[in-house]
Amino acid sequence: MMAMIVYAALAILMANLVFGVFLWFKVRKLYCYPGVLGFPVIGNLYNAYKTLLMITVDRGVKYGVAVAEEHGKDGIFFHWLCGSNVAAVITSPHLVKKLSFHPNLADKSYAIYNAFKICMDGPFSDICSDDEWKQKRKDYNINLKKSRVDSDYFNTFIKRSDKMVEKMLASSSSHVDAHAICSSVVYDISLKTMFGIDSDLVYHPDLVRVYDRIKVILATVVSDIPMIHVIQPILHRIIDVSIGKLVELRKLGLAEIDNKLKSNEGPLQDLTLFMYMALKHKKDNGSERILFNKIHELFLTSGHTVASVLSNMTYFLAVLPDIQERAWQEQYEIFGNDVRDPTIADLNQMKYLSRFMKESLRFVGPSVVVKSATADITIDGITIPRGTQVVFLLRYIKFDPKYFKNPNIFDPDRFLDESDVLKCGQSSFGAGIRNCPGEYFATILLKIVLSKMLRSLKLKTVDKNFRFEDMKYKSYILGDVENPPKLQVEKRT
Ligand code: HEM
């Protein structure tokens, strides 16, 4: 018995040594930091085990930031993350700028997006920037072009913003559920603009809860790990069975497609993005599951992102009353006591609000943007080999005092003089040709909602002692305030 235990222990030790040597062999030319106790083999093993269970975005980001503090001084370091192969971690805005449009960096990280790809099927989750991606992206661009946002979608933004203000003011005097209200109103906007559907189903509390859960699941399984194959059927099951409201929404959407197919009116370009995608899909005899995956991605990218950012912005306004007053003052200078709706010209005058939005995104925008090197990239004398995951560690850059002075202070005015360094360091809507096609849509929508909110009400925290410094942050697909304060609203007179 004793001998068996000794043999087993020796076998485990040997296996680990072989594994350690294999890892060291793989990264020996890239690593910039020494291994544990000066032994690279032990160091690689240590890192491999340490990162083995790091399957959430948040844990990965926090670990990356801690390593970057020690090794990120030159703007780049290499790191072996278990499950993700070798990663080149970029910690300087200058390198983000140089790399973003590099022709060998167009593709998304296979390691990360493989998981999304199984659950979704639009341009967002496409891993390769191939012809199929180009076509899907073209469909998005046609539907999200500036002129369309300014004309077709504008009134929906206005009407739903009014609804949001009404809902907030109608909340109980003790507490307003800002997250639920912001999210359902944004989902309503997404449903109307992207899908062409009017439905109160989005106001069902289940829907907000479900999307919050989906966000957590996706942020847990974005690594290329076998677990995704277990999670994926469960995720589909959750969506299919327990989310009655989502299923009702799907039925509503499919009925609309049938109607459109029967009537066959007008050119395809005039349709909403959903109809456009769905009709093309039906004509190609695609399966309902794939169509649903596409729809699901559209709802997540157009609705969930903006909903999350907007909820967090309401928390910032509530805990920073001076900033809220300054933002309101700007509204007053533009509108005075006139209750008219904003126009595009008015929105262009809202410079402080723009800066507030940028500063909010510094705290709750994406923590990482990850791509793949499709061929060797040589930059500043360093070669990033083909197949490396290139991680723009934005969470680190956005809080590096070298680029963002007093980074922990919420200061919209840091964007008064927006240099390339701030723009690239921030990269809230991504970088390069795979950047976000919804940036203009999201910016106009958020500006209208915030403008209406600021003009009609004051946001406050229920706990008067809650300070901005008490906020903690967590990284999901975007960032989030982990401990949001309870809010109250007061009508502005
Ligand atoms: C405040 C809101 C939003 C933020 C912060 C945001 C952020 C991002 C980021 C960081 C990326 C990855 C870019 C990269 O890899 O370089 C992205 C991609 C994408 N976003 Fe957004 N987004 C927002 C709103 C939207 C909206 C409203 C839509 C659609 C209406 C949208 C559709 C997409 C799509 C389709 C992609 C994938 C692009 C591709 O790979 O071709 N996003 N977004």
Side-chain angles (χ1 to χ4, degrees), residues 144-162:
L144 287 167
K145 62 179 190 282
K146 197 169 178 297
S147 58
R148 180 144 201 187
V149 174
D150 290 352
S151 55
D152 291 6
Y153 302 154
F154 202 84
N155 276 339
T156 307
F157 296 164
I158 298 266
K159 282 200 190 112
R160 299 304 193 273
S161 304
D162 286 338

Side-chain angles (χ1 to χ4, degrees), residues 108 113 122-126 133 137 140 144 194 273 297-298 301-303 305-306 309 361 364-366 368-371 394 427-439 441-443 445-446 477-478:
K108 292 252 166 116
Y113 281 77
F124 177 79
S125 46
D126 269 349
W133 166 76
R137 178 71 192 230
Y140 259 74
L144 287 167
M194 298 285 99
L273 185 48
E297 185 187 290
L298 178 57
T301 54
S302 66
T305 48
V306 186
V309 165
L361 281 166
V364 292
V368 279
V369 164
V370 191
K371 320 252 178 191
L394 301 176
S427 290
S428 294
F429 292 92
I433 65 157
R434 295 292 302 256
N435 66 358
C436 176
E439 177 171 358
F441 177 96
T443 310
L445 188 171
L446 284 166
I477 302 167
L478 296 178

Side-chain angles (χ1 to χ4, degrees), residues 210-437:
V210 161
Y211 270 91
D212 284 346
R213 245 170 260 157
I214 290 178
K215 164 187 87 180
V216 176
I217 296 174
L218 284 178
T220 308
V221 296
V222 288
S223 323
D224 181 19
I225 44 169
M227 207 166 95
I228 183 63
H229 297 285
V230 180
I231 298 277
Q232 178 253 343
I234 301 173
L235 194 68
H236 279 160
R237 197 94 193 116
I238 298 177
I239 293 165
D240 285 353
V241 180
S242 59
I243 316 163
K245 294 299 146 200
L246 211 64
V247 175
E248 278 179 55
L249 274 177
R250 173 161 57 152
K251 280 193 193 137
L252 209 69
L254 293 173
E256 287 278 319
I257 299 171
D258 283 339
N259 285 343
K260 278 278 179 330
L261 267 178
K262 271 181 215 134
S263 59
N264 210 9
E265 61 200 24
L268 271 183
Q269 275 79 351
D270 289 347
L271 298 173
T272 61
L273 185 48
F274 162 64
M275 287 301 166
Y276 184 84
M277 278 167 18
L279 281 177
K280 278 171 79 176
H281 185 81
K282 270 229 149 172
K283 280 180 185 156
D284 296 341
N285 291 320
S287 78
E288 202 181 289
R289 165 56 67 199
I290 293 178
L291 176 60
F292 184 47
N293 282 357
K294 282 192 183 41
I295 292 171
H296 193 220
E297 185 187 290
L298 178 57
F299 204 53
L300 256 176
T301 54
S302 66
H304 173 72
T305 48
V306 186
S308 148
V309 165
L310 181 63
S311 312
N312 288 305
M313 284 175 176
T314 59
Y315 306 141
F316 293 145
L317 286 172
V319 292
L320 296 162
D322 293 349
I323 285 180
Q324 188 178 168
E325 275 319 282
R326 207 168 144 200
W328 171 78
Q329 190 65 41
E330 179 179 71
Q331 297 297 316
Y332 190 74
E333 279 157 21
I334 297 169
F335 298 99
N337 291 321
D338 198 339
V339 290
R340 70 181 171 80
D341 292 328
T343 60
I344 287 287
D346 294 325
L347 299 183
N348 288 337
Q349 283 189 62
M350 298 176 192
K351 306 279 186 222
Y352 187 74
L353 191 60
S354 293
R355 297 203 293 280
F356 164 78
M357 284 161 52
K358 283 181 189 155
E359 182 67 340
S360 302
L361 281 166
R362 193 168 68 84
F363 284 87
V364 292
S367 298
V368 279
V369 164
V370 191
K371 320 252 178 191
S372 290
T374 49
D376 285 3
I377 297 173
T378 302
I379 203 128
D380 291 355
I382 300 171
T383 298
I384 301 173
R386 177 174 179 268
T388 305
Q389 311 299 309
V390 181
V391 181
F392 296 153
L393 192 54
L394 301 176
R395 181 75 204 173
Y396 178 81
I397 301 175
K398 291 188 286 188
F399 288 84
D400 185 341
K402 261 205 307 278
Y403 309 113
F404 293 84
K405 221 172 131 203
N406 297 326
N408 293 319
I409 292 177
F410 190 100
D411 177 15
D413 286 346
R414 71 174 75 247
F415 290 99
L416 264 174
D417 181 16
E418 197 179 357
S419 62
D420 269 3
V421 170
L422 290 206
K423 259 193 210 140
C424 297
Q426 174 91 327
S427 290
S428 294
F429 292 92
I433 65 157
R434 295 292 302 256
N435 66 358
C436 176

